[in-house]
Amino acid sequence: MYTIGLDIGTQSAKVIVCAADGKIIAQSSEKFENINISKLLDGWFEQDPYCWWLVSVKCLREVIEEMSRLGIKADQITAIAVDSTSGTVVPADANGKPLYPALMYNDSRSAAEAEECNSAGHKLIQKLGYRFASSFALPKILWVKHNKPDLFNKTDCFIHAADYIVGRLSGNHRVSDTSNALKTGYDLVDKKWPDFIESKLDIPLSKLPDVVDPGNKIGAVTEECAAETGLHAGTAVIAGVTDGTAGFLASGAAKVGDWNTTIGTTLVIRGVSKGLINDPLGRIYCHAHPQGFWLPGGASNVGAECIAKLFHGKDLDEMN
């Protein structure tokens, strides 16, 4: 039995194939050609979702070919799951086709909208113990409503980065997971989209995806996707988590009291707690653990990107 993890990061896509005992069988990574297609204003960061898919296809084909060389067939892969950046938003039509570049997690254009979300969603904030920031998805959706009303009206569903890739794999782009939905304002306690999103922000809840717990089956690899990627049609597509949560789980932190710090382009710190930790100042937030625990922590957009800027051209493996 083998499983595939597909990561859509800030600068690249990565694919890894693991056996049931966790042994890595094959892996591939490929950088995106352009990590910011927006040259309009400082603080605006946009990417082309279709580029994510093209790079993902390349990585998937490479690992399938590597498995073939090892005598492992594609139909021996039981499941694939996707993780990606937290707070990234893609306006999509009814077929899952992007109508506009993805507004990235580190895009700060929606600072005013974040405060509007904090005011409208004060009850949710008190319940979950975090405040909306411009890095969150919901303020970005509200920015689209305020500044690009035609785009807002044409959008069938505002999906997350991982949802777009899941849609390409399975044909179902309208399902997300609780981890990605957190920054879109999903109520992790009552497991529903809160009413204020529609009643106070005038964002129809029908424009938001259905939400399931990580680990649930969303669909299966389509015949079209199989022909494009080399995957076996019918392979289960499983709900994943955000990239920060995936990095945390991959570290082996599992017990209450375990903590981990992951430094990628973003720096993430996270732990496991029995109960939801409510910070009155909104400095941390809790993801929901699929087994009923909570994952308190936070993230900074200042991470290892500085390494690439300060030590450009250096051998990072040698530096390690």
Side-chain angles (χ1 to χ4, degrees), residues 145-201:
K145 183 179 186 300
H146 287 166
N147 295 276
K148 294 187 177 293
D150 289 344
L151 172 62
F152 182 84
N153 292 331
K154 289 178 182 176
T155 298
D156 177 73
C157 192
F158 288 94
I159 59 179
H160 309 101
D163 306 339
Y164 169 71
I165 300 298
V166 165
R168 295 301 301 248
L169 291 167
S170 68
N172 186 356
H173 66 278
R174 289 195 60 99
V175 176
S176 191
D177 60 88
T178 57
S179 182
N180 275 290
L182 181 153
K183 290 186 178 179
T184 313
Y186 188 73
D187 187 335
L188 297 176
V189 174
D190 289 339
K191 296 291 184 73
K192 66 176 185 177
W193 292 111
D195 295 338
F196 81 86
I197 295 177
E198 185 164 285
S199 64
K200 294 185 178 180
L201 299 180

Side-chain angles (χ1 to χ4, degrees), residues 84-89 124 128 130 132 136-139 141 158-163 174-189 191-194 196-197 208-214 239-243 245 285-288:
S84 191
T85 52
S86 173
T88 297
V89 171
L124 180 72
L128 298 183
Y130 68 77
F132 290 97
F136 281 41
L138 186 61
I141 297 172
F158 288 94
I159 59 179
H160 309 101
D163 306 339
R174 289 195 60 99
V175 176
S176 191
D177 60 88
T178 57
S179 182
N180 275 290
L182 181 153
K183 290 186 178 179
T184 313
Y186 188 73
D187 187 335
L188 297 176
V189 174
K191 296 291 184 73
K192 66 176 185 177
W193 292 111
F196 81 86
I197 295 177
L208 301 179
D210 297 330
V211 181
V212 299
D213 287 331
V241 290
T242 61
D243 54 358
T245 306
Y285 52 89
C286 289
H287 282 267

